[in-house]
Amino acid sequence: MKQLGKFLRLSFPEKQLLLQAGFLLGLVKLGLLLLPFGKLRQTLAFFSQTKQNHAASIDQIVWAVKISSCYLPGGAKCLAKALTAQILMKRSGYFPELRIGVIKEKGKLQAHAWIEHEGKVAIGNLTNLSEFTLLPSLEIAKLAKLS
């Protein structure tokens, strides 16, 4: 009940953003389970079409993604959160960059996804993020395939 009270006290745009984030996060999580990553990225491009110029701030979008991930059954991994934040940021007129990096920890390869905007980590920051080896941008990889 406490969470419902908090939700009801939010402004209409905050409620709308939180519901959008929750819906998209659920779709992204499902898409990651059912679709090849390339097909998922194509599908998400449709949802990423810019709707309004800076309708929500970067901080508001990150807040909505983080909060909605807490209420999603099973939570959400970094890639689902990063993709969801990327969609919402693009729809608000920002130009976020999806970053995926890998690191070897305790003999195992670990991967992590995060979003950068204007050179700063918007969502997915880790204390050891600088130790990750950055994989090539998907947009760059796509262009290389075309040549």
Side-chain angles (χ1 to χ4, degrees):
M1 278 314 243
K2 193 175 185 180
Q3 287 83 5
L4 180 59
K6 284 182 181 180
F7 179 78
L8 294 175
R9 286 191 294 276
L10 295 174
S11 68
F12 180 74
E14 289 171 327
K15 288 176 190 170
Q16 189 176 22
L17 181 61
L18 194 56
L19 291 172
Q20 283 178 359
F23 176 73
L24 284 172
L25 189 57
L27 284 178
V28 168
K29 188 176 172 182
L30 186 62
L32 286 166
L33 290 171
L34 301 176
L35 299 173
F37 191 67
K39 183 67 173 170
L40 176 64
R41 293 274 296 166
Q42 288 175 347
T43 304
L44 296 180
F46 171 78
F47 290 104
S48 297
Q49 296 172 4
T50 302
K51 301 290 183 192
Q52 299 170 332
N53 194 20
H54 302 295
S57 72
I58 298 288
D59 289 339
Q60 289 171 320
I61 291 168
V62 169
W63 165 82
V65 172
K66 286 181 177 180
I67 294 295
S68 61
S69 71
C70 294
Y71 294 97
L72 196 64
K77 303 273 188 204
C78 59
L79 182 57
K81 288 189 244 182
L83 289 170
T84 301
Q86 184 182 39
I87 293 167
L88 292 171
M89 287 177 189
K90 283 184 176 181
R91 290 180 73 177
S92 291
Y94 299 103
F95 299 97
E97 296 180 59
L98 174 66
R99 302 288 191 197
I100 300 175
V102 294
I103 190 172
K104 194 169 186 178
E105 288 183 330
K106 299 176 186 171
K108 292 186 178 185
L109 192 64
Q110 303 287 325
H112 182 63
W114 65 96
I115 292 292
E116 290 183 4
H117 178 259
E118 295 180 351
K120 296 179 186 171
V121 177
I123 191 168
N125 201 4
L126 298 175
T127 56
N128 66 338
L129 197 57
S130 62
E131 297 172 23
F132 279 76
T133 300
L134 192 62
L135 298 179
S137 168
L138 296 173
E139 281 70 29
I140 292 171
K142 190 176 179 182
L143 289 174
K145 221 179 195 183
L146 296 174
S147 4

